[in-house]
Each structure stands twice: as C-alpha cells, then as structure tokens.
Amino acid sequence: MFKKVLVANRGEIAVRIIRALREMNITSVAVYSEADREALHTQLADEAICIGPAKGLDSYANPVAILSAAMVTGADAIHPGYGFLSERSDFVALCEEVNIKFIGPKSHIIEAMGNKQNARNTMKAAGVPITPGSDGLVHSLEEAHAIAQKIGFPLIIKAADGGGGKGMRRVEDPKDFEALFLQAQNETQSVYGNQDLYIEKIIYPARHIEVQLLGDEHGHVIHLGERDCSLQRNNQKVIEFAPAVCLDEDTRQAICGAAVKAASAIGYTNAGTIEFLLADNGEFYFMEMNTRLQVEHPVTEMITGVDIVQEQIKIAMGQPLSYKQEDIVLSGFAIECRLNAEDPLHQFRPAAGHIKQLVLPSGGMGLRVESGIYPQYTLPPFYDSMIAKIIVHQPSREAAFRLMERALYEVAVDGLVTNVELLEAMVADSHIQADDYHTKWLEESFMPAWLDFQKEAEATEEA
C-alpha cells in the first residue's frame, strides 16, 4: 500500500492524479517549476516542492530533480502522467534502482515499445498486422531512397522514439523526399539526441483507432474498448470519441483481441494503449504503442465506468485487476474536446498571459471538465498549450453532440486566445456528426473552409 505518491507532472493531468490519490486516501506530492509556483496542482496537493527553472528539460523532464524530490519527501511511488518522463525507460530504471515504484510498466517494456521500430518487430512477432515499411532503422539517405522506391508514395518518415509529431514528415511527392528526410533527421537529433528513423507506407484514407489496455502484475490483461482519434491537426488530436462507431462488431472484436494478445505476449503491466490505422476496406494495421496514460483516457472511463488512474495505482501496488474482461461493458457515447490556448486564425500560435475571468461549463449529467487553470491565474509560455479537457457522455451520439455544443457555448476565457470557436464549429459540422471523416480530413477539407469563413467574417466586421 502506498502512503505517499509524487506526481511528476503539471497542469490538468497533475490535478487529475492528485484528485485520484485523495480519493484513495494517499498523500500526494506535487512538483513545480519556478514558473508554476502558483499553479493549481501545487495548491491541491498535500505537499509541494520546487524542482527547478521554468524550462521543462530543467524541471519536469529532469530525472535527477524528480528522483531527488521523491527521496526528500519520502514518496513510495511516482506517477508520471503523460509527456515529460512518462516514457523514459532510463528514468524508470533509476526508479527501480532506488526502490521507488514507477506507476507504469517496467523499464525494459518501455524501452522495447517506446522505440517504434522495436515495437513494429514485436507486434509482427505477435501476429499483429503492421503497415508496410522499413524492416529496421534507416540511417542514410541512400537507404531511405531504396525503401521509398520499394513501398511507394505517399509515405511517412517517423522518429523511432517519442511521439506528438516530432521528427515526423509526410511525403506525397518523390521530389520532396530528400529534403523532408533530412528535416526529420535533424529534428529527431535535436529532440531525442539521435537520428533513428523508420519509414512506413501511408494508409490513406484511414481512421486512427486506439485500444485502451490494463495489465496487472499477475499476468492478466484486459481491454477497455476503443477510441476514435481521427480528428487531427499536424498529427495532434483535437477531438476524440468512444466507442469508434466506424467499427462493426467483428472488426471491434478483432482489433481489441489483437491488442490484448500483443500486450500479453510482452508481459505488459499497468495502463497502455495500442494505436491502429483502419483502412477503408476494414483492414487494420499496428501503428504504435503508448506505454502510459493517454490524454484522452476520460472518454474510455465514461463509457466503461472504470477509473483508469486509480487502477494504475492499484496495479503498481501489486493488486490484481479489479475487473475481468466480461465485466467490461461499453455504455453510451463519449466525446472529448481539447481546449487549447492558441490562435487558430494565426497558424495556431500558442498563447500565454493573465486569465482575468474564466467560465468553464458545469451542470447537467454526463459533463466533466478537467483543467489546471483558474481565474486570476497567469498561464506561463513554457509548456503545452492545452488548458482544459471538456468531456461529455450520453446514451446516444446525438445527445452527446448536443451536450458538447452546449458545453462549448459556455466557455469564456478572458485574457487568453483559445481554440473554442474552432471546437464549436467542428462539433456542429454535419460530416463529423455523421462520422464521415478520416485522419487528414480536418486539415484537407474542414480547416481551409473554416479559415476562409472566419477571414470573410473578420473583413465584414472591419468594413
């Protein structure tokens, strides 16, 4: 049983974990950078300790600072949330060495699955379909050209480590391949300290489907259904849905079964997600595994009734899963919108500053808001632009869309530019409501039309 857990993160996910710890009667320790001294998570935690300067690499992503804070405060365990150190196998190995429990999988699992090429090889060995691409890491431009000619265009160049679109380049035209490969190589070097890349054939059009998994330390693995994360901009998710209504029941069983089989094959423990691309013909292909909690985990919690964060903590304490597969029943439909401090009309430029007034939606059944901001809070410019997640759950898709429309209408953030108008337009769009889109639809179809409309409206106002 843990008595004290350090939360190695910030913002809404730190708040989410601290609340789960309080419900479990476990003392929470917040860490904060110098820029986050007044952040909400530091005020909600039982204890708080400064771990360094504003820059993430010097604070939240600094293994020595985090471990030092854990030892000084006497924490039994560390919950990493997502981002920062959540998929750093070297950090997890350090936790194992000093006997501080990492609330997540073992270091060797993260190392195996965090490197995307290793993950592809592991999935292939487990019998999970993978997209056509390089058989190993691609180190030279000459080698990359040979692979590109073999699999054809369009294709995607990806960093073997990390995520969030870093080191990733989509190549439509062969004449652009060399420049984009070198760009990806340079970005990968600057972000991850290596030039490890691999190449995949692009499945287009496709849907982005991910399966939520839980595995305990007693050999049990279950899935909590799937999510549709196809609405993306610049490889970043904007709105997520659960379940994925584009799946028929046979495909749902196949894709969830493949995910469980793969996780079982590697002895996976704690929460994890396997992401797939679903082609128009119903074939699906392994894309990557995230060995951590996902930003969009609330939509799965809403349709299953399973508190994934609390399950993570219980698993790390050595307890068996609270559920068997037959206990998991998907109910209703859930939507999550990511509210970001950014300006969609100006290349999604991130925003920061003082929040004079704040209204986030409340009231009504099936509405949940997770945020790390409050009125009179000054949002620092050093971190991710997401400031809140708005989640709804209703018995039907139609009711869920109506509730989300109402919830977004209530959002008011005085002092910051946000993407709320874009979210409102997306939720009201007939294509999205009819489940008629794919992973590039937002960028190719919706955004150009929406931006033109906004510019015309702006010009009319000025006139």
Side-chain angles (χ1 to χ4, degrees):
M1 178 68 183
F2 298 146
K3 293 182 179 178
K4 184 182 291 188
V5 173
L6 182 140
V7 182
N9 219 297
R10 64 175 304 281
E12 60 83 22
I13 189 57
V15 170
R16 165 76 178 93
I17 297 165
I18 289 166
R19 285 171 172 162
L21 291 168
R22 184 169 295 277
E23 291 169 15
M24 299 176 74
N25 200 30
I26 298 172
T27 299
S28 60
V29 179
V31 295
Y32 62 91
S33 72
E34 292 172 358
D36 268 342
R37 191 173 298 274
E38 302 301 322
L40 182 60
H41 73 284
T42 69
Q43 300 177 44
L44 292 180
D46 298 302
E47 302 175 25
I49 182 170
C50 184
I51 51 169
K55 191 177 179 181
L57 286 174
D58 298 327
S59 52
Y60 298 106
N62 183 338
V64 174
I66 296 295
L67 275 175
S68 298
M71 289 187 279
V72 165
T73 57
D76 306 303
I78 295 174
H79 197 307
Y82 47 71
F84 296 124
L85 297 174
S86 62
E87 293 183 285
R88 284 274 299 272
S89 61
D90 57 341
F91 173 68
V92 181
L94 287 173
C95 292
E96 293 165 354
E97 284 182 25
V98 299
N99 201 31
I100 294 177
K101 188 73 174 183
F102 178 81
I103 300 178
K106 302 292 185 184
S107 58
H108 70 278
I109 296 293
I110 295 178
E111 185 174 5
M113 301 309 293
N115 181 285
K116 294 182 178 64
Q117 186 57 49
N118 289 344
R120 279 169 56 86
N121 295 338
T122 301
M123 292 299 127
K124 187 176 181 180
V128 178
I130 63 172
T131 51
S134 53
D135 291 329
L137 295 177
V138 182
H139 300 289
S140 69
L141 186 58
E142 182 181 10
E143 184 183 3
H145 272 301
I147 295 167
Q149 288 180 347
K150 181 180 178 182
I151 67 175
F153 293 85
L155 56 80
I156 192 161
I157 304 162
K158 290 184 177 181
D161 297 306
K166 302 297 184 185
M168 184 184 295
R169 295 294 186 277
R170 181 185 176 99
V171 187
E172 303 282 350
D173 193 320
K175 74 177 189 305
D176 300 326
F177 180 75
E178 182 171 335
L180 292 172
F181 179 84
L182 294 174
Q183 285 179 23
Q185 202 172 51
N186 290 336
E187 186 173 62
T188 301
Q189 177 66 49
S190 66
V191 175
Y192 305 115
N194 61 57
Q195 294 187 339
D196 294 345
L197 298 171
Y198 70 102
I199 298 174
E200 280 183 350
K201 175 73 175 174
I202 286 179
I203 308 299
Y204 178 88
R207 300 290 279 263
H208 182 136
I209 307 297
E210 58 185 39
V211 179
Q212 177 68 61
L213 299 166
L214 288 175
D216 64 21
E217 297 178 356
H218 305 276
H220 307 119
V221 177
I222 64 171
H223 71 80
L224 303 181
E226 80 291 338
R227 302 182 282 256
D228 186 337
C229 303
S230 304
L231 290 175
Q232 303 177 10
R233 185 196 67 81
N234 196 28
N235 300 308
Q236 295 280 358
K237 300 162 189 173
V238 181
I239 300 179
E240 298 99 353
F241 307 100
V245 298
C246 60
L247 299 182
D248 59 44
E249 192 55 35
D250 288 343
T251 305
R252 174 173 288 109
Q253 292 295 331
I255 203 167
C256 291
V260 170
K261 180 181 177 182
S264 299
I266 62 174
Y268 192 84
T269 57
N270 219 270
T273 300
I274 296 186
E275 302 187 350
F276 297 91
L277 285 175
L278 177 72
D280 274 357
N281 62 3
E283 297 293 325
F284 59 88
Y285 305 91
F286 169 79
M287 186 166 57
E288 64 182 23
M289 183 173 194
N290 290 297
T291 55
R292 55 168 168 80
L293 189 67
Q294 292 278 87
V295 175
E296 57 273 19
H297 74 275
V299 289
T300 295
E301 293 183 327
M302 297 296 258
I303 65 168
T304 61
V306 176
D307 187 315
I308 296 174
V309 174
Q310 290 199 22
E311 281 301 303
Q312 283 190 287
I313 297 165
K314 292 175 184 176
I315 290 167
M317 290 192 294
Q319 297 181 16
L321 288 175
S322 304
Y323 306 87
K324 297 179 179 178
Q325 190 62 67
E326 55 265 30
D327 298 327
I328 305 303
V329 178
L330 308 186
S331 174
F333 188 76
I335 307 172
E336 175 181 290
C337 287
R338 301 188 185 193
L339 183 66
N340 296 337
E342 61 187 12
D343 187 352
L345 298 180
H346 296 90
Q347 288 78 50
F348 289 87
R349 182 172 57 210
H354 187 68
I355 301 173
K356 300 172 186 175
Q357 293 184 351
L358 174 67
V359 178
L360 293 175
S362 62
M365 294 180 62
L367 174 61
R368 169 176 168 183
V369 178
E370 298 192 353
S371 178
I373 61 173
Y374 57 88
Q376 302 305 315
Y377 172 65
T378 299
L379 183 72
F382 308 105
Y383 313 110
D384 185 82
S385 63
M386 188 176 68
I387 55 174
K389 299 186 306 196
I390 301 168
I391 309 107
V392 301
H393 176 235
Q394 291 290 286
S396 68
R397 293 181 70 249
E398 294 76 13
F401 273 100
R402 287 197 301 271
L403 179 54
M404 182 60 81
E405 287 184 37
R406 189 271 285 179
L408 292 171
Y409 176 77
E410 294 182 7
V411 173
V413 186
D414 185 6
L416 291 180
V417 178
T418 74
N419 66 335
V420 67
E421 290 186 1
L422 172 62
L423 295 174
E424 286 182 287
M426 289 178 64
V427 169
D429 185 83
S430 60
H431 291 273
I432 293 176
Q433 292 195 5
D435 198 49
D436 179 21
Y437 52 84
H438 53 78
T439 53
K440 303 305 292 183
W441 177 83
L442 187 61
E443 292 176 318
E444 293 175 352
S445 300
F446 182 88
M447 285 302 303
W450 184 78
L451 286 170
D452 286 345
F453 176 81
Q454 294 297 316
K455 289 174 182 176
E456 287 178 12
E458 212 173 55
T460 300
E461 282 186 16
E462 290 175 358

